[in-house]
Amino acid sequence: MTATTVTSSRTTAATGGTPALVVVAHGSRDPRALSTVRALLDRVRALRPALPVHLGHVELNEPLLPDTLTALGDGAAVLVPLLLSRGHHVKRDIPEMAAASPARTRVAGPLGPHSLLVDALQARLTEAGWPIHPGPEHAVVLASAGSRDPESRADTARTAAALAARLGVPVVPAYASAAAPTVPEAVRALTDRGHRRIALASCFTAPGRFATQCAAAAPWIASEPLGTHPAMARLLLHRYDRALGRGGASNAGREARDGTTCGSAAGARPAATEPALAG
């Protein structure tokens, strides 16, 4: 997975110390979201105590990303979106905020698709009561926020396919907004195919309106949002490391041709153990 280098008039080479990790959350009016994200950042700090870790939001919560970057001055930073697929925030909003800041920044790709994301999804389902040996009556709806961006839907579909391979049951992606099918539509489709034990896998980073809305439509069990699961903290650090390890500036034209805008998963080498997942 590639990273986007935001240059403006500056180089993005790390100089004079370790680049900070700036985790970029969307923001939510639900107070549980902010507390969850802060707890996740504490897990990241525990895994790598010497790494400066900061938080910035696209909207709705403080600190906002531009304020976080301003506070860093002209220091080096890697921005890792706490987002699970490509979309407008990853492709446009975050890079534009980074380019407008004095910091020397590099923008990593979103967290998904990735096998660590599948680890967290599977663990949350198990916590909710998913059986060790599911039968032919079992299936899963993978619920996510949704986006009009076809690349975002493609990423979610790839995560669903990887989770299906992991669990050995059908997994249908569904969306809370901006895309189809909805969770009730996905449940009906699986019911029509004969599945009677349909679980909902919550593909959300934190509690909020969409996660609550989707869980309420679950006909059987519903997993909790991914939140502070240890795999999420490791995945944030993995994206940080990959962004620093892929040298050279990205190019918007090249990314558009390759389908790798802002570190997207398309075109990346698949992981050996999951179908079509980026490294």
Side-chain angles (χ1 to χ4, degrees):
M1 178 166 293
T2 59
T4 294
T5 303
V6 180
T7 56
S8 298
S9 60
R10 303 173 184 273
T11 177
T12 56
T15 58
T18 302
L21 165 59
V22 177
V23 176
V24 186
H26 180 277
S28 171
R29 293 184 177 87
D30 190 320
R32 296 174 298 169
L34 181 56
S35 61
T36 298
V37 172
R38 285 175 171 164
L40 176 59
L41 265 62
D42 286 341
R43 278 193 176 273
V44 173
R45 294 183 181 105
L47 288 173
R48 199 168 298 183
L51 177 65
V53 179
H54 304 275
L55 174 62
H57 292 92
V58 175
E59 59 183 359
L60 298 176
N61 291 122
E62 295 182 347
L64 293 171
L65 178 57
D67 297 331
T68 297
L69 294 176
T70 297
L72 292 176
D74 63 354
V78 175
L79 280 56
V80 180
L82 189 60
L83 301 168
L84 303 178
S85 65
R86 290 168 289 177
H88 187 80
H89 293 316
V90 172
K91 292 179 174 182
R92 296 290 299 277
D93 292 339
I94 295 172
E96 287 176 0
M97 292 178 190
S101 78
R104 293 174 285 113
T105 56
R106 185 177 290 265
V107 181
L111 299 187
H114 195 275
S115 58
L116 284 169
L117 178 58
V118 178
D119 289 348
L121 288 165
Q122 182 181 20
R124 290 291 189 235
L125 278 171
T126 300
E127 292 167 0
W130 182 259
I132 297 175
H133 301 293
E137 73 276 17
H138 290 90
V140 174
V141 172
L142 180 69
S144 66
S147 170
R148 293 182 179 87
D149 190 317
E151 290 186 319
S152 175
R153 296 193 296 274
D155 287 345
T156 303
R158 290 169 68 188
T159 298
L163 184 60
R166 183 78 65 88
L167 299 177
V169 303
V171 177
V172 175
Y175 306 95
S177 68
T182 65
V183 170
E185 289 169 344
V187 169
R188 283 195 296 271
L190 286 168
T191 300
D192 290 345
R193 289 159 55 183
H195 299 286
R196 295 293 178 264
R197 289 288 187 178
I198 302 172
L200 182 130
S202 184
C203 196
F204 298 95
T205 55
R209 178 169 63 92
F210 284 162
T212 301
Q213 170 187 318
C214 290
W220 180 41
I221 59 173
S223 65
E224 293 295 320
L226 302 169
T228 58
H229 189 275
M232 296 295 287
R234 296 198 301 272
L235 184 49
L236 284 167
L237 287 170
H238 174 74
R239 290 291 184 237
Y240 170 89
D241 291 336
R242 286 295 298 268
L244 288 177
R246 299 293 291 267
S250 295
N251 176 286
R254 177 177 63 80
E255 289 172 347
R257 292 191 300 273
D258 294 345
T260 56
T261 303
C262 292
S264 73
R269 184 172 62 254
T273 56
E274 302 289 355
L277 291 189

